[in-house]
Amino acid sequence: DGGITQSPKYLFRKEGQNVTLSCEQNLNHDAMYWYRQDPGQGLRLIYYSQIVNDFQKGDIAEGYSVSREKKESFPLTVTSAQKNPTAFYLCASSVRGGYGYTFGSGTRLTVV
Amino acid sequence: QKEVEQNSGPLSVPEGAIASLNCTYSDRGSQSFFWYRQYSGKSPELIMSIYSNGDKEDGRFTAQLNKASQYVSLLIRDSQPSDSATYLCAVKEEYSSYKLIFGSGTRLLVRP
């Protein structure tokens, strides 16, 4: 079955550590996105990519980095520069035209 | 800054009643609108999309769009306890092929 796979489901980060969240899709979608969701809040866009080897900053890109070397993969690195990384991270993808997103199951990141 | 506004709720309705969820948006040129359902701790799931003024029905769900007034609504008929979730409104930016702007969501509680 086609879909988006995020891993790990839960992730713990120590202070000063970089961590990478994985996102893989087999839907043949052109565009991929990373959102952050804090408790009781909506989705905030971190980065998005419309084609391979190209990506754009979203509204809250500081302290995060991404790559898009393959159409299927869009990993997100949470760097030590992100001072408050505890949140629920959602990866999504869409076809051209943005006819709605398909979301992965999410990664819950906690700073310990 | 383009915005999508929703009442955070909770909206509490008895089982079997009609739940009405509303959303307003600031980007007058937006053409595509989406409703997502998000259960606690889970990722959002697309339940309705609407692109033209008027009503669009799918089972117990009806999406309503009024571009002149810049609002979109979701009606849930015969509400069930399993409908208890947060409902996110999303609007595609006018000049973007892909980017959606999300509201912060309305929490719906359906009382048995």
Side-chain angles (χ1 to χ4, degrees):
Chain A
D1 287 337
I4 300 181
T5 301
Q6 287 188 245
S7 62
K9 190 174 178 68
Y10 299 96
L11 186 57
F12 298 92
R13 192 193 92 165
K14 295 181 181 179
E15 295 285 347
Q17 191 178 44
N18 292 356
V19 292
T20 297
L21 284 60
S22 171
C23 178
E24 304 273 338
Q25 56 101 357
N26 61 3
L27 299 166
N28 199 32
H29 284 173
D30 294 305
M32 297 186 74
Y33 316 81
W34 275 105
Y35 282 88
R36 168 180 173 146
Q37 187 175 38
D38 293 282
Q41 298 190 30
L43 305 181
R44 292 187 290 168
L45 183 63
I46 304 172
Y47 270 97
Y48 64 104
S49 168
Q50 299 182 36
I51 57 173
V52 174
N53 292 323
D54 188 48
F55 47 83
Q56 289 78 40
K57 292 182 179 180
D59 301 319
I60 55 166
E62 185 174 352
Y64 300 97
S65 66
V66 293
S67 63
R68 186 88 186 274
E69 296 177 1
K70 299 186 300 181
K71 187 175 183 178
E72 301 79 15
S73 179
F74 192 41
L76 173 74
T77 296
V78 184
T79 75
S80 56
Q82 172 49 240
K83 298 306 179 188
N84 185 23
T86 295
F88 188 42
Y89 290 86
L90 289 159
C91 179
S93 69
S94 74
V95 298
R96 286 184 182 275
Y99 297 114
Y101 292 173
T102 300
F103 282 91
S105 57
T107 293
R108 197 166 297 278
L109 174 62
T110 304
V111 174
V112 295
Chain B
Q1 178 79 351
K2 294 166 186 171
E3 295 182 337
V4 176
E5 300 284 345
Q6 295 181 257
N7 188 319
S8 61
L11 173 65
S12 181
V13 301
E15 184 174 355
I18 295 175
S20 178
L21 306 164
N22 300 311
C23 169
T24 60
Y25 59 94
S26 63
D27 186 355
R28 182 169 289 277
S30 295
Q31 300 294 323
S32 304
F33 308 86
F34 307 90
W35 282 100
Y36 286 82
R37 177 176 62 200
Q38 185 176 25
Y39 292 113
S40 181
K42 302 296 185 183
S43 61
E45 170 193 12
L46 180 65
I47 55 173
M48 288 287 288
S49 59
I50 187 166
Y51 308 104
S52 304
N53 277 332
D55 295 359
K56 178 182 177 182
E57 188 174 315
D58 184 0
R60 295 187 296 113
F61 298 100
T62 299
Q64 300 176 317
L65 175 60
N66 184 324
K67 291 182 181 178
S69 300
Q70 295 177 242
Y71 85 78
V72 58
S73 62
L74 179 70
L75 301 179
I76 306 175
R77 291 182 299 280
D78 187 24
S79 295
Q80 301 297 310
S82 59
D83 294 325
S84 297
T86 296
Y87 290 81
L88 302 171
C89 174
V91 177
K92 190 163 82 72
E93 283 192 336
E94 180 182 6
Y95 296 111
S96 169
S97 295
Y98 304 91
K99 188 177 174 185
L100 297 186
I101 301 172
F102 285 83
S104 58
T106 298
R107 192 158 69 96
L108 173 66
L109 297 176
V110 181
R111 309 187 304 271

